Amino acid sequence: MSPAARKAPKKEDRSDQLEEARRLWRAFVEQRGLNSSKTRDAVVDVFFETTAHATLQDLFDAARKRQTGVSFATVYRTMRLLDEAGLADARNFGEGKSTLYEVAAGRAHHDHLICEACGKIVEFVDEDVETLQDQIARRYGFSLLRHRHELYGLCATCHPRGGA
Amino acid sequence: MSPAARKAPKKEDRSDQLEEARRLWRAFVEQRGLNSSKTRDAVVDVFFETTAHATLQDLFDAARKRQTGVSFATVYRTMRLLDEAGLADARNFGEGKSTLYEVAAGRAHHDHLICEACGKIVEFVDEDVETLQDQIARRYGFSLLRHRHELYGLCATCHPRGGA
DNA sequence: CTAAGTGCAAAAAGTTTGCATTCCG
DNA sequence: CGGAATGCAAACTTTTTGCACTTAG
């Protein structure tokens, strides 16, 4: 990757996405007849600016840093709204672990690779798998609504003879 | 399926499997230096005779029917042992739902189709998907340890215009 | 005996919810 | 004003664990 290539290119996309997400949120709020709220908007913003997968606790902590007085309950209720709005996806990787929220607005469907050593989460898309899933569902007479496909292993860095 | 085909064929397999599972359990108990216990063996038997995916509560209820005095804690601890022994697989379908245990002894790897309407769980195997998974993991530099692949939808019976 | 197994009840961990209060329109 | 939004603390659900007592070897 050339030095120049690292600079501008993605940045606009990102802030466009952010803007689009906020627009969708406002639309949802209106369409649903909700009041506007400074506290909730702070949580929404914190979430939209999130790059990684975040737990309620993460979001709560982050929100507190910019808006004191946010309660866990509000973070919880806000994330539920975002989920209903289709702007957030709630994911559960592994047994007792907390639910992770990821930004869904304007993002394509994808699945996950999870490193069991360092916890790194990589998103992937594979059309062939998607196609096969449809075939499998049909084979058993199911109509497919959604799926969960997670691959657990060790990332390059965590391999016994891992690169890096 | 012919009337005759429904009868004998599978039965022997099933009791063979059961016998094999019990054998593996005894081996595990010995190898691990555990004591034998009537209570725990009752739980183990109840589990091995289970056909569907069962929660701890299911197993607890079932065990109580034949052996009064079994506690939830013992069911829990027994299932943990079976899991460690590789004789039980703990699965988690969906958010807050309880862990489901399925018999693993002598069974091939498989994934699941889950009906969101009636909760029916169907197991499936698809070699092509398995192959693709390996390729995907490699593409991202991961070495694959395990995966979770669940397809959620509506089974034939629950379709809006469902068969049956 | 000594270590393993068990029941009971309480602890954890993560989510949800009831309620009185405050805020938005 | 009247319905929304919020904070707080308590309720819940499911999974784990501490501890005193019982049992197998």
Side-chain angles (χ1 to χ4, degrees), chain B residues 122-141:
Chain B
V122 176
E123 304 176 346
F124 73 85
V125 178
D126 190 292
E127 283 310 322
D128 293 335
V129 172
E130 301 293 321
T131 305
L132 280 172
Q133 288 177 160
D134 287 340
Q135 290 175 4
I136 293 167
R138 203 172 314 128
R139 188 185 310 158
Y140 290 90

Side-chain angles (χ1 to χ4, degrees), chain B residues 28-87:
Chain B
F28 177 78
V29 167
E30 179 169 8
Q31 174 257 314
R32 186 97 153 216
L34 304 177
N35 282 349
S36 102
S37 141
K38 201 170 160 186
T39 306
R40 186 164 53 196
D41 283 348
V43 175
V44 170
D45 269 4
V46 163
F47 171 64
F48 282 155
E49 290 162 24
T50 288
T51 54
H53 298 69
T55 61
L56 286 177
Q57 190 64 53
D58 292 337
L59 295 166
F60 174 66
D61 293 341
R64 283 238 143 166
K65 284 187 187 155
R66 55 176 82 176
Q67 167 97 194
T68 54
V70 179
S71 71
F72 193 87
T74 291
V75 175
Y76 169 75
R77 292 188 266 234
T78 300
M79 292 317 295
R80 184 163 58 185
L81 283 177
L82 284 168
D83 193 35
E84 288 169 18
L87 299 176

Side-chain angles (χ1 to χ4, degrees), chain A residues 34-35 37 39-40 69-71 74 77:
Chain A
L34 303 178
N35 282 350
S37 142
T39 307
R40 186 164 54 197
V70 179
S71 70
T74 291
R77 291 189 269 233

Side-chain angles (χ1 to χ4, degrees), chain A residues 110-126:
Chain A
H110 59 264
D111 292 297
H112 301 83
L113 266 158
I114 298 111
C115 176
E116 302 221 276
C118 68
K120 178 161 63 187
I121 298 176
V122 176
E123 304 178 346
F124 73 85
V125 177
D126 190 292

